[in-house]
Amino acid sequence: MRDFSNCRRIVVKIGTNVLTRNERLDSQFVEAVAADIASIRSAQRQLLVVTSGAIGMGAREIGVAPPIRQVSMRQACAAVGQPLLMNTYRSAFAAHGVSVAQVLLTREVLNNRRSYLNLRNAVETLLGIGVLPIMNENDSVSTAEIGSAFGDNDQLSALVASKVDADLLIMLSDIDALYTGDPRLNSEARPLRTVSALTDDVLSSAGGAGSSFATGGMRTKLKAVAIAERAGCRVVLAHGRENAVVARVLAGEEIGTLFLARDRLSNRERWILNSAPAGRVVVDAGAFAAIRRRNSLLPTGVVHVDGTFAAGAIVELAVADSSKVRARLITSLASGDLVSVMGRHSSQVASLLGPGRKEIVARPEEIVFID
Ligand code: GLU
């Protein structure tokens, strides 16, 4: 039996596929999910909702046929649909005496410490006065083209869970569990009830690139799990159309797949890990072994620099001969300076860059490993 009795803060993510029926927002479903969520809120238990559906609802309202690929049209549809979506939630929750608030996010808002603190104050205040925050991406202003988009609400929900220190993220979608293979292609595929670590085996269950199952959204869900688990937040993936699914998950019923959490990283470590990187440094195997032993990253171990970034930026780190990202770090050298000193001994930094410059690329506490 699962035990969620000590969960104080819970994020429920509601995906487009479960919200809609025949391409229309299913208001009966919204009413059911509102009743479900309202039933488990209490003075000790705070709920936040991350919802999709704005673009689809806007498209229907103004008569634009899906799929909508043009970025500006998606933005326009989101602007039309978001208030309609909120209105549906507002009436559904009002029936249970719950007031709701709209919170729209971009990746920049979460990455930037100042705007994130503003956001946190607002959300904490809403939760403190018993209002339910309903969040979505601010699709009208964030686009993948300018790097400000989350891309999908799966990752947005995990970042929200991480930022508010949630104990549990419940992802409601039209997939009832993570399976050992693609259940549509393989009759032997069976659902996994508990996943204790995101091993290569588990990741391959989500389907390799190009498999039809991979486009079914499981990969983005596992990316979200990877974010949540480092924040000490467990995740349950369940079918949103199950009756009273949120209350039953919380009561410990074995519904869907439970992903266990790891030790919670500090806020600063999570910020380094989850921010969009401004560039990439590639290091040699020796330097990687050294930083693994909690030593600083020195210019001598850097073999390649990608991108243009300032000192203080967050960049990703890979090891030569592999494109796999192994860590993220705060660089104390801007990209141009790093290119000038890479491969050189720290004692040469002053003569190359001028006196008083940092001789290391990153200290151990500024490096967070991805595994
Ligand atoms: N933010 C989008 C919307 O509300 C949905 C993104 C997603 O479903 O992942 O329409």
Side-chain angles (χ1 to χ4, degrees), residues 230 273 280-285 288-289 291-292 294 315-329 367-371:
R230 305 292 302 262
L273 201 56
R280 168 182 287 218
V281 293
V282 181
V283 303
D284 61 34
F288 188 67
I291 60 172
R292 270 292 201 201
R294 305 306 288 157
V315 296
E316 57 189 22
L317 178 140
V319 184
D321 300 330
S322 163
S323 59
K324 191 169 174 198
V325 178
R326 308 298 299 274
R328 289 214 172 135
L329 56 90
I367 306 172
V368 184
F369 294 94
I370 303 178
D371 53 26

Side-chain angles (χ1 to χ4, degrees), residues 13 15-16 51-56 82 85 136-137 139 151-154:
K13 187 255 165 182
T16 306
T51 186
S52 303
I55 296 174
Q82 181 63 31
L85 181 64
N136 192 4
E137 180 155 12
D139 295 302
D152 62 78
N153 277 10
D154 290 327

Side-chain angles (χ1 to χ4, degrees), residues 18 29 33 36 171-175 238-245:
V18 70
F29 169 75
V33 88
D36 191 12
M171 301 180 90
L172 300 182
S173 79
D174 60 347
I175 304 170
H239 201 296
R241 298 265 171 181
E242 289 263 0
N243 187 36
V245 62

